[in-house]
């Protein structure tokens, strides 16, 4: 990308400092850099990206209070982290942007903020800086978030255990148990967070989606027609497919990726390995961990399993794993702390992905035509899992808790030679072809990106200029 002629417009980008949000924001930054914008990444000290991986970007630290960090993986810690970030970063962010605007020789076209950094809207308004939002999750789950006030009025939320299987007729195809809730003692805090996140997205000048028109067309229509999202929308994803897999894989990873699993995969035949990963935030109980381990062992299929330190509640890493379990598999299973996921999913040996359905993992699997076993933990993951299993029909959801027998059956349904597994795989491969088409010249994402670039350039005239 060296030698691209800059159009003289700078963009300020602020990611939410979590892995599943940093990856798409830095990919977006690369895409916009390729379209001749200059890039400044605004970041917190917590989970800051490594500038040496991006010598062509500027980086500016907003110096949040030192107390801001996510020390434990759980939904309620995540909720408190998001609330603290949005409360504590206002002043340091405003100071940082004001300084940048006064020192920056290039005109700043706009701020692109993660939708969950909703505090940035107020600061942008004060500084007369146009703000566009990047929503790193899917459009379909955003519709469910936008419907929360209504779902509460209708009595769907708070969720009652006796109604879990009931259909939410107003937001098909969701059932009550698919609603993007979190387990917390303080649900009001969660409702307030969602209210701010949805409303400040509505107050922005546009939304960029890491998704594509053909995948989520009905949700995009629903948002503009039923929820009055009248600002321009740019579904330009999947972002990571704008680049070769090897170059986009490791740069933004906060944990070092264990490359040894690629040579392990090289030794396996096509579509034979189950890849298992539950992302960067979710945590599981020791009981669930043991059920997963036995389900994998009993399935008789080779597996590559990412067990991130901190994944098992109360354990540092693999202490609860029964001794001898892996050894008895004689090399059929491999456990790593963190994998080069994009390369793993693109590897011909990988036949299925058992995932928590974070949006990045879901989209990355779709891009490679890899069918999924869905085990959502919280929030948008539950909506994504429902779409994978019941709309796109490219996976199976574990519906009855985490139990070794059910796990073994799901793996066999998807990976043994049988008609059901083949149909699911065929649909996944068809969707992979749609991804390729949307990124080609004239394809939906490619056209949306052109529209986005034109739109950003049109914003320049109203930008705050330091005197
Ligand atoms: C979080 C939220 O939990 C999720 O609900 C939301 O949709 C996005 O943010 P996270 O747990 O980080 O998700 O999962 P995901 O969205 O799938 O992102 C994980 C990222 O880490 C992916 O880009 C994946 O490629 C990468 N990854 C994961 C690795 O590079 N190596 C691994 O071993 C596992």
């Amino acid at each position: 990308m060296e030698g691209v002629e800059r159009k003289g417009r700078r963009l300020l980008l602020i990611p939410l400092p979590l892995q599943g949000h940093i990856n798409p924001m830095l990919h977006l930054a690369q895409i916009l850099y390729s379209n001749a914008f200059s890039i400044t990444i605004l970041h917190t000290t917590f989970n800051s990206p490594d500038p040496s991986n991006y010598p062509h970007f500027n980086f500016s630290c907003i110096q949040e209070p030192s107390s801001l960090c996510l020390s434990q993986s759980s939904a309620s810690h995540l909720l408190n982290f998001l609330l603290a970030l949005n409360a504590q970063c206002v002043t340091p962010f405003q100071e940082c942007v004001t300084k940048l605007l006064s020192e920056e020789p290039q005109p700043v076209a706009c701020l692109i903020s993660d939708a969950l950094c909703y505090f940035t809207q107020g600061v942008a308004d004060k500084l007369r800086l146009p703000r566009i939002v990047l929503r790193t999750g899917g459009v379909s789950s955003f519709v469910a978030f936008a419907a929360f006030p209504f779902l509460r009025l209708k009595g769907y939320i708070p969720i009652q255990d006796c109604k879990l299987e009931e259909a939410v007729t107003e937001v098909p195809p969701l059932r009550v148990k698919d609603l993007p809730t979190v387990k917390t003692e303080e649900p009001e805090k969660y409702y307030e967070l969602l209210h701010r996140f949805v409303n400040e997205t509505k107050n922005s000048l546009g939304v960029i989606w890491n998704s594509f028109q053909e995948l989520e067309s009905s949700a995009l229509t629903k948002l503009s027609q039923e929820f009055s999202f009248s600002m321009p929308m740019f579904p330009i994803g999947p972002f990571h497919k704008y680049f070769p897999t090897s170059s986009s894989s490791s740069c933004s990873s906060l944990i070092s990726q264990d490359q040894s699993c690629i040579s392990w995969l090289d030794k396996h035949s096509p579509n034979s390995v189950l890849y298992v990963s539950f992302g960067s935030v979710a945590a599981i109980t020791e009981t669930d961990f043991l059920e997963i381990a036995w389900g994998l062992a009993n399935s008789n299929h080779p597996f590559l399993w990412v067990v991130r330190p901190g994944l098992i509640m109360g354990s540092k890493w693999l202490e609860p794993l029964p001794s001898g379990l892996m050894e008895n598999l004689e090399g059929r299973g491999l456990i790593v702390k963190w994998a080069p996921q994009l390369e793993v999913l693109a590897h011909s040996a990988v036949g299925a992905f058992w995932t928590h359905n974070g949006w990045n993992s879901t989209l990355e699997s779709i891009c490679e035509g890899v069918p999924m076993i869905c085990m959502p933990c919280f929030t948008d993951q539950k909506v994504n899992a429902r779409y994978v299993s019941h709309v796109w029909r490219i996976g199976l959801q574990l519906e009855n808790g985490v139990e070794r027998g059910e796990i073994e059956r799901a793996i066999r349904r998807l990976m043994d030679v049988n008609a059901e597994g083949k149909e699911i795989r065929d649909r996944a491969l068809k969707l992979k072809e749609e991804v390729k088409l949307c990124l080609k010249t004239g394809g939906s994402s490619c056209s949306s990106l052109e529209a986005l670039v034109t739109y950003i350039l049109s914003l320049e005239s109203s930008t705050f200029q330091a005197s």
Side-chain angles (χ1 to χ4, degrees):
M1 272 180 274
E2 284 310 312
V4 173
E5 190 200 331
R6 308 289 90 193
K7 287 194 183 128
R9 316 291 201 279
R10 181 165 288 281
L11 303 175
L12 309 183
L13 279 69
I14 175 163
L16 182 78
L18 296 176
Q19 187 72 76
H21 295 252
I22 292 172
N23 288 359
M25 184 63 92
L26 286 167
H27 283 143
L28 175 64
Q30 296 273 28
I31 294 168
L32 293 170
Y33 180 82
S34 306
N35 279 273
F37 289 99
S38 302
I39 302 292
T40 298
I41 305 288
L42 306 174
H43 61 88
T44 51
T45 45
F46 171 67
N47 277 350
S48 60
D50 182 352
S52 68
N53 287 329
Y54 303 91
H56 46 302
F57 295 170
N58 288 349
F59 286 81
S60 200
C61 185
I62 72 170
Q63 301 291 352
E64 80 279 11
S66 56
S67 56
L68 191 73
C69 79
L70 184 61
S71 53
Q72 283 184 47
S73 293
S74 78
S76 58
H77 277 92
L78 182 62
L79 175 58
N80 285 326
F81 168 78
L82 293 173
L83 289 166
L85 176 115
N86 276 283
Q88 295 174 14
C89 287
V90 179
T91 306
F93 175 72
Q94 183 168 329
E95 284 167 7
C96 175
V97 176
T98 305
K99 188 161 177 281
L100 276 175
L101 291 174
S102 64
E103 289 170 355
E104 179 56 55
Q106 273 178 306
V108 172
C110 71
L111 169 74
I112 301 181
S113 161
D114 189 293
L116 277 166
C117 297
Y118 52 74
F119 72 93
T120 58
Q121 183 64 51
V123 176
D125 286 344
K126 252 190 211 158
L127 300 178
R128 286 183 290 125
L129 183 62
R131 173 180 179 262
I132 293 180
V133 156
L134 164 63
R135 174 56 190 154
T136 59
V139 189
S140 310
S141 59
F142 192 86
V143 166
F145 288 128
F148 248 63
F150 164 80
L151 296 171
R152 289 179 68 197
L153 273 178
K154 283 262 181 174
Y156 289 112
I157 295 171
I159 286 177
Q160 296 166 48
D161 282 348
C162 58
K163 294 190 174 166
L164 289 177
E165 299 297 331
E166 271 182 24
V168 181
T169 46
E170 298 84 350
V171 195
L174 302 188
R175 300 157 299 179
V176 168
K177 70 181 193 186
D178 304 318
L179 292 174
T181 52
V182 292
K183 277 204 179 95
T184 170
E185 304 278 288
E186 300 167 298
E188 292 299 331
K189 276 190 181 177
Y190 183 58
Y191 305 149
E192 174 60 16
L193 175 97
L194 291 188
H195 170 74
R196 295 287 312 276
F197 150 70
V198 170
N199 267 31
E200 299 299 23
T201 299
K202 219 172 194 172
N203 289 333
S204 75
L205 293 177
V207 186
I208 303 169
W209 300 96
N210 188 14
S211 188
F212 57 103
Q213 181 73 37
E214 291 75 7
L215 189 70
E216 298 198 278
S217 57
S218 58
L220 283 161
T221 309
K222 210 174 169 102
L223 260 193
S224 51
Q225 288 180 356
E226 289 175 35
F227 293 89
S228 316
F229 275 72
S230 53
M231 79 290 274
M233 305 249 199
F234 304 98
I236 66 166
F239 298 171
H240 69 282
K241 292 307 274 183
Y242 283 77
F243 315 98
T245 300
S246 53
S247 74
S248 61
S249 150
S250 60
C251 289
S252 55
S253 194
L254 296 166
I255 311 176
S256 105
Q257 298 176 327
D258 185 341
Q259 290 289 337
S260 68
C261 57
I262 299 296
S263 44
W264 184 85
L265 285 174
D266 289 341
K267 295 187 193 111
H268 289 83
S269 49
N271 294 333
S272 64
V273 176
L274 175 67
Y275 171 56
V276 188
S277 170
F278 307 124
S280 67
V281 184
I284 56 175
T285 62
E286 190 174 317
T287 311
D288 286 352
F289 171 76
L290 290 174
E291 291 303 308
I292 294 169
W294 283 114
L296 287 170
N298 296 342
S299 76
N300 269 331
H301 285 277
F303 62 88
L304 167 61
W305 185 8
V306 176
V307 180
R308 189 189 83 235
L311 171 72
I312 310 160
M313 292 173 203
S315 297
K316 280 210 167 84
W317 191 37
L318 287 177
E319 304 86 288
L321 192 69
S323 66
L325 187 143
M326 291 300 286
E327 292 74 5
N328 288 341
L329 299 178
E330 296 174 342
R332 182 162 60 75
L334 178 67
I335 294 180
V336 295
K337 288 183 175 164
W338 197 244
Q341 182 161 302
L342 294 178
E343 285 162 72
V344 167
L345 288 170
H347 198 288
S348 60
V350 171
F353 181 13
W354 180 0
T355 170
H356 70 311
N357 288 114
W359 182 247
N360 297 289
S361 293
T362 305
L363 198 59
E364 289 161 11
S365 206
I366 288 174
C367 288
E368 303 307 332
V370 176
M372 288 168 250
I373 295 175
C374 306
M375 191 182 79
C377 299
F378 48 69
T379 61
D380 63 325
Q381 299 163 13
K382 302 203 269 176
V383 180
N384 303 338
R386 183 67 174 163
Y387 271 74
V388 166
S389 56
H390 279 80
V391 178
W392 307 316
R393 295 165 63 223
I394 52 171
L396 301 169
Q397 182 166 350
L398 293 173
E399 296 278 3
N400 304 309
V402 185
E403 190 276 323
R404 63 188 77 181
E406 173 154 358
I407 291 167
E408 187 186 333
R409 279 189 294 280
I411 298 173
R412 289 180 181 280
R413 275 173 70 193
L414 204 54
M415 299 197 69
D416 283 358
V417 180
N418 68 66
E420 184 190 24
K422 183 175 180 313
E423 280 167 21
I424 293 175
R425 182 174 313 284
D426 287 349
R427 278 193 291 271
L429 288 172
K430 218 168 143 222
L431 202 48
K432 176 183 177 176
E433 291 309 309
E434 293 206 33
V435 173
K436 285 188 191 155
L437 288 179
C438 81
L439 292 168
K440 283 200 168 138
T441 310
S444 63
S445 291
C446 182
S447 305
S448 263
L449 175 60
E450 283 166 20
L452 172 66
V453 170
T454 308
Y455 183 63
I456 293 175
L457 292 174
S458 78
L459 292 173
E460 189 205 11
S461 54
S462 57
T463 305
F464 164 93
Q465 292 295 311
S467 51

